[in-house]
Amino acid sequence: MLFRKAIFIIHGFAGGVWDHQNLANELQMYLDFDVYMITLPGHDKSIMTNVKRDDWVKAVENQVEKLIARGYNKIYVIGHSMGGVLASHVASKYKEVKRLVLVAPAFRYLIFKDDKLQVLGSIKEMPKILKQYNQKDVISRIIKMPLPVTMEFINLVKEHTNDVKRINCPTLIIHGNDDQIVPKTSVDYVHKNLKSDVNILVNMDDVTHDVFNGSRGDEAIVLTIKFLRMKFYKKIKEEINK
């Protein structure tokens, strides 16, 4: 266990571990790491009710603390969308988090102007968003999103936006240029405010919010593996760009 590393993958709002099963499988195949995923509170097959943002925060903190207790002193965290917000939080809090991958981190979402969510403009964009995903999948996820739970997500982002400014570990940020949910301003905010000396932003053309499962999902997975397996930080950027 002393020489083993752990990878902790955190899914997004209204998502689940099934969203990143392909990624987890590839990581286990190509890296000598132990991969862990959890289902965030309120994200099982039942309707999301009576769940608070602190439940999500405590769930990811508990998982990191369990890994530390098991002897992992090097933990790599991957977070997608809302999971990127939660991943940023644990990276800012635990020194054992040595590398971080933020995939479309949702510090901004849908349409923002002057750092405020534009509700009407976001509603108008919904047809474009629906085209990016399987219709049945979208409908089933929307059903699970009562307004109080959505407000918990909004307040989670508000409370943890500044966590980014306390992150020192090497970080890779991946964003799809066709993402209709998390805008480029969100990843630009993260890229600008990270304290890490290794701070890499990759914008992928023809990629939606569903980064790992779209037409270029394999490329995004390879990109992530390259970043996580590099031993010398100074070489990471040139390797990522190959």
Side-chain angles (χ1 to χ4, degrees), residues 14-109:
V17 296
W18 57 85
D19 288 324
H20 304 302
Q21 195 59 59
N22 288 341
L23 171 65
N25 291 342
E26 293 296 320
L27 290 172
Q28 288 177 318
M29 181 178 298
Y30 290 104
L31 295 175
D32 187 26
F33 287 17
D34 301 321
V35 180
Y36 295 86
M37 296 189 288
I38 62 171
T39 299
L40 294 172
H43 287 71
D44 54 18
K45 296 302 181 181
S46 62
I47 296 175
M48 288 200 298
T49 56
N50 300 320
V51 63
K52 303 296 183 183
R53 57 192 179 277
D54 287 344
D55 297 330
W56 300 327
V57 173
K58 184 55 65 177
V60 296
E61 288 181 347
N62 286 345
Q63 181 61 36
V64 171
E65 289 170 9
K66 285 179 182 178
L67 295 176
I68 294 170
R70 291 174 185 171
Y72 294 104
N73 57 14
K74 291 184 179 180
I75 302 170
Y76 294 179
V77 181
I78 301 171
H80 175 244
S81 198
M82 183 182 82
V85 177
L86 294 167
S88 296
H89 169 66
V90 295
S92 72
K93 182 172 181 176
Y94 297 97
K95 68 181 187 308
E96 290 82 2
V97 176
K98 300 301 185 182
R99 296 196 194 185
L100 180 65
V101 179
L102 300 177
V103 186
F107 290 97
R108 307 285 188 274
Y109 40 88

Side-chain angles (χ1 to χ4, degrees), residues 151-163:
M151 291 305 300
E152 290 298 319
F153 162 65
I154 291 171
N155 288 323
L156 172 80
V157 175
K158 286 181 180 179
E159 290 179 5
H160 291 280
T161 294
N162 287 329
D163 288 350

Side-chain angles (χ1 to χ4, degrees), residues 144-183:
K144 294 181 181 180
M145 294 189 233
L147 181 58
V149 178
T150 301
M151 291 305 300
E152 290 298 319
F153 162 65
I154 291 171
N155 288 323
L156 172 80
V157 175
K158 286 181 180 179
E159 290 179 5
H160 291 280
T161 294
N162 287 329
D163 288 350
V164 169
K165 299 176 182 179
R166 295 186 290 274
I167 295 173
N168 295 307
C169 65
T171 303
L172 169 66
I173 311 161
I174 304 175
H175 185 245
N177 287 337
D178 287 344
D179 192 332
Q180 301 292 331
I181 296 176
V182 170

Side-chain angles (χ1 to χ4, degrees), residues 104-234:
F107 290 97
R108 307 285 188 274
Y109 40 88
L110 298 177
I111 296 178
F112 264 78
K113 185 177 181 180
D114 298 326
D115 285 342
K116 294 182 179 179
L117 177 65
Q118 303 297 299
V119 177
L120 290 178
S122 296
I123 291 173
K124 289 179 181 178
E125 291 297 311
M126 284 306 294
K128 292 182 182 179
I129 296 170
L130 291 174
K131 287 181 180 178
Q132 293 189 1
Y133 302 95
N134 178 282
Q135 296 294 306
K136 291 181 180 179
D137 184 48
V138 171
I139 292 170
S140 68
R141 294 188 187 203
I142 289 176
I143 288 173
K144 294 181 181 180
M145 294 189 233
L147 181 58
V149 178
T150 301
M151 291 305 300
E152 290 298 319
F153 162 65
I154 291 171
N155 288 323
L156 172 80
V157 175
K158 286 181 180 179
E159 290 179 5
H160 291 280
T161 294
N162 287 329
D163 288 350
V164 169
K165 299 176 182 179
R166 295 186 290 274
I167 295 173
N168 295 307
C169 65
T171 303
L172 169 66
I173 311 161
I174 304 175
H175 185 245
N177 287 337
D178 287 344
D179 192 332
Q180 301 292 331
I181 296 176
V182 170
K184 189 174 182 295
T185 53
S186 184
V187 295
D188 286 344
Y189 164 78
V190 177
H191 186 51
K192 179 180 178 181
N193 286 282
L194 284 172
K195 298 305 179 185
S196 172
D197 291 335
V198 179
N199 174 2
I200 304 166
L201 170 60
V202 177
N203 290 299
M204 299 185 70
D205 291 332
D206 303 317
V207 173
T208 68
H209 190 63
D210 199 14
V211 174
F212 291 118
N213 296 312
S215 60
R216 299 186 65 187
D218 289 345
E219 293 176 57
I221 291 173
V222 169
L223 191 66
T224 300
I225 291 173
K226 273 188 176 183
F227 174 73
L228 295 181
R229 76 191 313 175
M230 287 300 299
K231 295 181 180 180
F232 303 103
Y233 295 155
K234 64 182 181 179

